[in-house]
Amino acid sequence: MNVGILGSGDVGQALGRAFVTLEHRVMLGSREAENQKGIAWAKQSGARASHGTFGQAARFGEIVVLATLGVATENAIGIAGPQHFAGKLVLDATNPLDFSKGMPPVLAGGVGDSAGEKHQRLLPDAYVVKVFNTVGSPLMFRPQLPGGPPSMFLCGNDAAAKKRAAEICKDFGWEVVDVGSIGAAHYLEAMCLVWVLASASANNWHQAFKLLRK
Ligand SMILES: NC(=O)c1ccc[n+]([C@@H]2O[C@H](COP(=O)([O-])OP(=O)(O)OC[C@H]3O[C@@H](n4cnc5c(N)ncnc54)[C@H](OP(=O)(O)O)[C@@H]3O)[C@@H](O)[C@H]2O)c1
């Protein structure tokens, strides 16, 4: 499968490595084709890995991942061209965090408008699933934790898209918790801040949520 990833940061690179390890072809996208991080990532990630612009990555992907700076993702989608997402599963790992007043960040726009919903509105012909936003990039693939596989929370409007996203999460080593429609992105984006604050208070960023049921 071809996976296009918008984002050359830690998340784009970590998810890109994961898909390459699972023998998918990955193109990492940036604003500029000459982005040095993207070029270096492709060079070190083998023959299945490449780098291009946001538009090239969106066109390339049968699945497209949003892994751009949260408050800049609307811009990234515009640069890529929303038409290149039509009919595709879009995995939205972004968090709309506002760092302008320092740490800890706050949710940009409060909980009035989630990024997941905004991205689904910008891409009406795509199937946006909010996922991979509630854990740090080092643990996104095959997390090894004493309590066993952690829980990956996801939400989206399309059942088939969520099923495919859940299969990907399971391949990546996660249990999956579906919390409903893309409207639930409000809560998953807020969960990111619970993760940040809990990490900061324990001074340990190697943590993930696990939902326990009986
Ligand atoms: N870091 C984590 O552990 C983690 C975990 C879960 C979720 N997230 C979320 O995942 C997303 C990616 O996080 P990250 O830490 O990997 O990287 P990041 O530093 O938040 O974002 C880097 C990407 O954003 C793009 N970007 C920056 N400004 C832009 C603009 N004005 N217009 C368009 N694109 C712009 C960059 O483009 P270029 O490639 O052109 O430089 C780059 O590809 C964020 O939304 C973050 O909140 C992060």
Side-chain angles (χ1 to χ4, degrees), residues 116-138:
E117 289 168 290
K118 185 159 76 171
H119 302 154
Q120 180 66 82
R121 284 197 303 274
L122 287 167
L123 302 168
D125 300 324
Y127 307 108
V128 175
V129 175
K130 190 92 209 171
V131 65
F132 291 119
N133 73 307
T134 55
V135 70
S137 59

Side-chain angles (χ1 to χ4, degrees), residues 133-159:
N133 73 307
T134 55
V135 70
S137 59
L139 288 182
M140 285 181 177
F141 186 57
R142 296 183 177 160
Q144 298 297 317
L145 294 163
S151 307
M152 179 56 71
F153 295 83
L154 59 78
C155 67
N157 290 342
D158 185 82

Side-chain angles (χ1 to χ4, degrees), residues 7-11 30-31 35 67-70 72 75 93-95 135-137:
S8 62
D10 291 344
V11 173
S30 294
R31 284 166 289 186
N35 181 287
T68 38
L69 180 70
N75 190 38
T94 67
N95 283 309
V135 70
S137 59

Side-chain angles (χ1 to χ4, degrees), residues 17-18 40 47-48 54 58 89 108 136 145 155 162 167 170 189 206:
R17 268 193 301 278
R48 292 191 182 84
F54 285 146
L89 168 60
L145 294 163
C155 67
K162 285 198 286 189
E167 285 164 5
K170 286 176 195 156
E189 289 162 12
H206 284 80

Side-chain angles (χ1 to χ4, degrees), residues 1 46-47 52 56 67 89 93 100 103 108 110 122 131 138 152 154 158 163 166 183 191 204:
M1 183 177 63
Q56 287 170 325
L89 168 60
S100 64
M103 282 291 280
L122 287 167
V131 65
M152 179 56 71
L154 59 78
D158 185 82
K163 185 164 176 273
M191 264 177 86
N204 180 354

